[in-house]
Amino acid sequence: MEIRDIRESEIEAARRLLDAAGWTDRVSNLNEFRELVSRSSRAIVAIENGEVIGFLRALTDGMTNGYISMVVVAENHRRKGVGRALVNVVMGNNRNMTWVLRAGRDGVAAFYEKIGFIRSQVAMERPRAKSSDA
């Protein structure tokens, strides 16, 4: 398995992975997803046999703070260390950085806890508007 920055030719494959995992409202439009990826500090993929099997998107200053926004692994490649590898690559070895994320999907919190994340008592958020509120 190879983990590296996403290439333009792989954006649709990453979008399809997210769509299959239920991220439909955020990735349904390819052009908007392409722009989302281009505005990210980091967008990486896991590749096996020429196929995109995982994707991670993050925002970071690279010095003190980072936010992991999207992580997805193809269903038939889950529980094989792909997600862990993506997260480890994007976070690197700088233990002086704080990384945050939202773990709202079922089972996601347990995954992140296994790789060193803890539940925070200090995070706050202003949720995005629902389609009916916009």
Side-chain angles (χ1 to χ4, degrees):
M1 176 177 65
E2 175 188 13
I3 296 181
R4 59 168 167 70
D5 290 338
I6 194 169
R7 295 176 181 158
E8 174 68 29
S9 61
E10 297 161 338
I11 290 176
E12 171 60 10
R15 191 198 67 76
R16 282 194 312 265
L17 278 180
L18 288 159
D19 186 57
W23 294 70
T24 51
D25 66 326
R26 301 226 178 146
V27 302
S28 59
N29 182 296
L30 176 60
N31 289 328
E32 287 179 12
F33 182 65
R34 181 176 284 117
E35 184 171 351
L36 190 70
V37 169
S38 74
R39 291 182 182 208
S40 302
S41 305
R42 297 292 312 272
I44 62 175
V45 287
I47 305 289
E48 189 170 271
N49 299 322
E51 175 189 358
V52 175
I53 62 167
F55 171 75
L56 182 148
R57 182 177 87 84
L59 307 170
T60 180
D61 58 26
M63 295 173 57
T64 60
N65 296 296
Y67 170 69
I68 297 174
S69 177
M70 296 175 163
V71 179
V72 66
V73 175
E75 191 168 351
N76 59 331
H77 291 279
R78 292 180 188 158
R79 297 183 184 10
K80 298 179 182 177
V82 177
R84 176 186 297 259
L86 286 164
V87 171
N88 286 339
V89 165
V90 85
M91 288 193 318
N93 296 321
N94 183 352
R95 297 289 298 167
N96 292 319
M97 282 188 62
T98 299
W99 284 89
V100 297
L101 53 88
R102 293 181 66 207
R105 295 175 182 265
D106 290 340
V108 171
F111 164 75
Y112 285 108
E113 286 171 343
K114 287 180 188 174
I115 58 177
F117 281 79
I118 59 171
R119 294 177 191 265
S120 174
Q121 301 299 315
V122 297
M124 298 182 72
E125 71 175 299
R126 186 184 96 175
R128 67 188 184 114
K130 293 179 177 49
S131 303
S132 59
D133 296 339

